[in-house]
Structure formats: C-alpha cells, structure tokens
Amino acid sequence: MAFNFGAPSGTSGTAAATAAPTGGFGGFGTTSTTAGSAFSFSAPANTGTTGLFSQNKGFGFGTGFGTTTGTSTGLGTGLGTGLGFGGFNTQQQQQPSTLGGLFSQPTQAPAQSNQLINTASALSAPTLLGDERDAILAKWNQLQAFWGAGKGYFNNNIPPVEFTQENPFCRFKAVGYSCMPNNKDEDGLVVLVFVKKEAEIRSQQQQLVESLHKVLGGNQTLTVNVEGIKTLPDDQTEVVIYVVERSPNGTSRRVPATTLYAHFEQVSIKTQLQQLGVTLSMTRTELSPAQIKQLLQNPPAGVDPIIWEQAKVDNPDSEKLIPVPMVGFRELLRRLKVQDQMTKQHQTRLDIISEDISELQKNQTTTMAKIAQYKRKLMDLSHRTLQVLIKQEIQRKSGYAIQADEEQLRVQLDTIQCELNAPTQFKGRLNELMSQIRMQNHFGAVKTEERYYIDADLLREIKQHLKQQQEGLSHLISIIKDDLEDIKLVEHGLNESIHIRGGVFS
C-alpha cells in the first residue's frame, strides 16, 4: 500500500491533508487548486507559489513521473468524432519533456532567501515589541515552527512568517517507503478511488462499467474492464480499470494509461466521474531509472538531506521500494489506517488458507482410511483368489503322479515348516511373546477381560485338528487296552502251564 501526498481538487489549506483519499499509490497524480506547499506530489495545480516538486506536469506514481502524452483533447484525436482513442496508427502529439525542471529546485532564489531570512529573524531575533518580551516571542515562534502550525510575528513592517509542516524546523517528520509500480504504460491501468464500500462496488460492478463506458463517449469500439477491486480506509474503494480498443480489422489493444488518464482529467469528464463517486484518478505505471535517480538525488522540501541519504541507505529493497516523506500526525494516522487495512486483508487471506488446509486435512484423513480399507479388501480378495487357484490346481492335477518340480516344492515347504516349528526359531519366540503378553495382562494396572476373535475358517480347522487328535488318542487307548488283555491271557496261560509241569514231575 502506497501513500498519499497530494490533495483532491477543491481543497484548501491544511484540510487537504485529511481530505486526500488513499489509492493504490495514495494520491500521486491528484489535482489541486491549493497554494503550493514546500513539497508537493500532486498533479497539475493552479498554485500561487511553486514547491519543490510542483510543475505544470503531474508528478507522482499516479501520472507516471513524466509528461502526459496527448493534448487537451484527451482520448487521442477523435473521441468526439467517434474514432475512439485515435486508432492504431494515429500518432499522439508529444509535449516537450520537463524531466529536468520536474525534479529541479524552483528558480526563485531571491524570494527563498527573503523567506529564509524572515524565518530566521522570527525564530531568533524578533523586533516586534522592542523589549524582553521579544525573547518570549522568539521561543513561541520556535515552538510553532517545531509544531508546524501558526504564524511567526517578528517585525511590525513585515508580514508574519507562515509556519507549515513543510518548514525545515518542523520536528514531526519521518521517512517511510512505498512500493513502486511495475506496470508499463501499455498495460493501460488506471486507478479510480470511490467514496463507497467494497460490497457496494462489487454489487454494482456491471452498472459501474456501463457508466464508465458512457463517460468515454459510448463508443462501441471501446470496452471497459475491471482489473481489481480493493478496500481502502474510511469506507473508500480502489478500482483498477483498463480500456480495450478494437479496430475494424478485428485486432485489439489496450489504451495507454497516460492517454486514458489525460481524458479523465478533463474538466467535463472529471465532473462526470465525481457524480459517480470518484474522488481520485491516477495511472499505475512504473518509473524509469532516470526518474528514480533524479527523485532520489533531490530530497523533498523540509527534509534534512542527511536524513534523506540515511533513508536511501536503509531502504530494505531498493529495487521495489522508494523513500517518501511523512509529515505531521495526519499522514501518520493515514499510514496507520492503511496498515490496519492491509493487516485485516492479510488476516482474512490467512483465515481462508487455514480453512482450506483444514479441509485438505479432512480429505487426507478420509482418503487414508479408504486406502487402508481397499488394502484389506485387496488382501482378502488375494487370499480368496489363491484358494480358488489351489482348488483348481488340485482338480487339474487329480490322477497324475507328482512331478519333480512339485516334489522339490514339497521339500522346500517341509523345510520351512520344520523351521517354523523348531523350538528355538519362530514358534518358540511366538510362544515366549504370548507368555509375556499373558503376564502383562495378568499383572496390568487395569485388569480387563480380554476377548479374542478367531476367523471362522481357522476355528473350524482347529476344531477338526483337535477332533482328529482326540480320535487318535481314543484309538491308541483302545489298542493299549487290547494289548493289556492279551498280556493278561499270556500270563494266565503261563501260570497254568507251570502248574501242569509241576504235577508231572512230582
């Protein structure tokens, strides 16, 4: 956000500082009918005195820091005759460049010398009363000079000195930095500041475009486009526009910013813009290196050259920022409002970004859950597919002898099974882990009933295996019982044979 050092047309006195609206570059390029100040960034002004930067051509970010192309006819050579901005091959009349005089000091050395002498007399040695009260008057004049307001009386025969905030003794001064525009004149960007709220401008944007088209004469070859809308302090809104001109052969181009601005600065056109609520119009064009150099070489009126040089040294980004003076509390308050407005815009943008990030995080969580679900489904389908393949392979190989590669695969599977069932290998480790888990569950601080769920197929297989084990044990027990009965029969037979033999030998 840049800063305003020009007053809108129709202002006078010190009230111009408060009435100046802030635009994209805060009013560089405005017009004024006030008396020229010690430093003035305003556009063409009907002033009685000449300030440091006052010229017949506009100075500032709004007017491009240079001469205005075209004459007082405004939009090229034929807006009134229906030729738009003069067509594509129409050469606009150029006025002689005033860059040298634009940034140079005014050639009123005698008047300035008398003004400096009168100021020094009012601050140091007034002779108004001729007694010790002149010393008190000198201190009062010094206080007024430091404050930048009032009149300094020092002689009965000479008019008093007018103390303004631009005088070199004013203490309420500082140097800030403004962004330099990087748009070219061919881009055709012109800033219009409306005394309306942004919501009202956006709701009536189409009507605004139609009204501006009527201001341009209603030419059908011209099209008004809105580049951007931005809120400003004090319920003001900045609207950036450009105009596209179409030629009969179908091609189009943007009307240069200086040409469009010159048309808007005509008295009749400016009256129509004021009826629409426009308080300020300016171009948004970049500065040439020569213009920047010339501006930096000459400090503004009332600013100490040492402070100006230090400001150039302290410039955080000399490629994008340019030092501008700040004089008085009004300017400081205006910059504070601009800063607050930009802070609110940044906070609003951060809130929008934060909401977008939160929405993206929710979408990411949902996506990750879906991915995990699809992974489980894929694994389940893989197992089912494997089972189908196994059954199909069993049916296909039914009745055939085991082949060599199958035998080799069986040996490998048996080896893996043996490794898994080895006490010191994976099975032993799993049993150890299960024991540790049971101990932790038994001695845990929170004793809750653990519930384990086993897959139905696995449970069925376990039951079948246990059933087979039980049947095997039952069969083994029956065999042992049969063997015991046979042993008893053998023992009984042996005992009977021994008794018979004993009777024979006796």
Side-chain angles (χ1 to χ4, degrees), residues 68-89:
T68 303
T69 59
T71 60
S72 60
T73 56
L75 301 181
T77 60
L79 183 62
T81 59
L83 297 180
F85 286 85
F88 282 90
N89 297 321

Side-chain angles (χ1 to χ4, degrees), residues 21 52 101 109 112 147 170 184 194 225 290 307 483 490 494 497:
L52 176 60
Q112 288 186 354
W147 182 260
C170 181
K184 298 183 180 299
F194 291 82
N225 300 273
I307 298 178
D483 291 342
V490 172
L494 289 176
S497 64

Side-chain angles (χ1 to χ4, degrees), residues 323-343:
V324 291
M326 295 184 298
V327 180
F329 290 104
R330 290 192 180 95
E331 178 62 20
L332 184 61
L333 177 61
R334 191 191 63 79
R335 290 181 71 111
L336 179 61
K337 290 182 179 180
V338 172
Q339 183 68 26
D340 291 341
Q341 187 68 35
M342 291 301 298
T343 301

Side-chain angles (χ1 to χ4, degrees), residues 31 67 83 123 255 340 350 357 391 419 485:
T31 58
T67 60
L83 297 180
L123 297 179
V255 177
D340 291 341
L350 289 176
I357 291 175
K391 293 180 180 180
E419 291 180 356
E485 291 179 357

